[in-house]
Every structure is written in structure tokens, then in C-alpha cells.
Amino acid sequence: QIQLKESGGGSVQSGGSLRLSCTAPGFTSNGCGVSWYRQTEEKAREWVASITTDERIEYPDSVKGRFTASKDKRTDTLYLQMNNLEPEDTGVYTCRIVGPPWFPGCEDSWGQGTQVTVSS
């Protein structure tokens, strides 16, 4: 499994912004599909954003218009810009390489997560 490392989490008030980062050697330059997820103790893991192998960016309705996923191939960094945060956005945010497995360096892999806390 490829080691992914997230950063950028923290505590903000409702309406605030945070930018999360996720790094791993080669995963953006290799063209891997990548995604962000979040989870709390009360809720199941929820998909937040994806960048597909053909560069489509997709979001669920719950974050569409507020969250923006992007990647920098020069630094192999995946970003999640989160604006107008709400208390319901609280959770541990994790990045994931979703494959495909036949792409070198694109094995299904998860990061450890970074905590985001939004207070009202």
C-alpha cells in the first residue's frame, strides 16, 4: 500500500474555510484516480470529492459549490479547499488512491486522516 499523508485540518467556526492537503510519491503524476472521504463516530464514511483518471472532478450534493478538489502534479499533492464550512462538515478527512490497480503506483491506498472540527 502506498503511504498517503494528509495535513491542514483544524478547528474553525461555521462559515470558515480550510484547505486540506494529501501527498504521496507519484500518485498525481501517474494519473491515479483519487478521492476524499470523511467520517465521524456517529456517521458512516462519506464520500466528499473525487478526481477521476480522466480528470473529471465530482462531488456529492452535500458539498457541491462549497468544496473544491484539485491536484498539483509538480508536487504530487491533492488538495481539498473547503469554504463556508458547517458543523455537519466535522469529521476525519481521509484521502484515497482509488486506482486503477493496473496503473503503476495506483494501488488502492488510504491515508491516516486529518481532523476537521466546525463549531456553530
Side-chain angles (χ1 to χ4, degrees), residues 49-89:
S50 288
I51 303 178
T52 67
T53 55
D54 57 354
E55 305 296 326
R56 287 179 293 112
I57 304 177
E58 301 172 335
Y59 311 94
D61 289 343
S62 58
V63 307
K64 196 174 293 183
R66 300 187 298 121
F67 289 13
T68 302
S70 62
K71 59 183 181 180
D72 186 338
K73 293 181 180 180
R74 298 169 302 168
T75 60
D76 276 322
T77 303
L78 173 68
Y79 296 103
L80 184 66
Q81 176 67 44
M82 305 185 295
N83 298 328
N84 194 21
L85 284 161
E86 304 166 350
E88 292 73 22
D89 296 317

Side-chain angles (χ1 to χ4, degrees), residues 6-72:
E6 300 96 338
S7 61
S11 297
V12 296
Q13 290 190 325
S14 183
S17 297
L18 285 172
R19 188 176 78 158
L20 307 183
S21 300
C22 173
T23 60
F27 79 127
T28 59
S29 55
N30 288 344
C32 306
V34 291
S35 292
W36 287 98
Y37 293 81
R38 66 186 179 194
Q39 188 170 17
T40 66
E41 290 184 358
E42 295 77 24
K43 294 191 295 186
R45 180 179 285 148
E46 177 186 14
W47 165 63
V48 173
S50 288
I51 303 178
T52 67
T53 55
D54 57 354
E55 305 296 326
R56 287 179 293 112
I57 304 177
E58 301 172 335
Y59 311 94
D61 289 343
S62 58
V63 307
K64 196 174 293 183
R66 300 187 298 121
F67 289 13
T68 302
S70 62
K71 59 183 181 180
D72 186 338

Side-chain angles (χ1 to χ4, degrees), residues 84-106:
N84 194 21
L85 284 161
E86 304 166 350
E88 292 73 22
D89 296 317
T90 294
V92 176
Y93 284 69
T94 306
C95 62
R96 176 190 181 193
I97 297 174
V98 297
W102 55 87
F103 278 22
C106 294

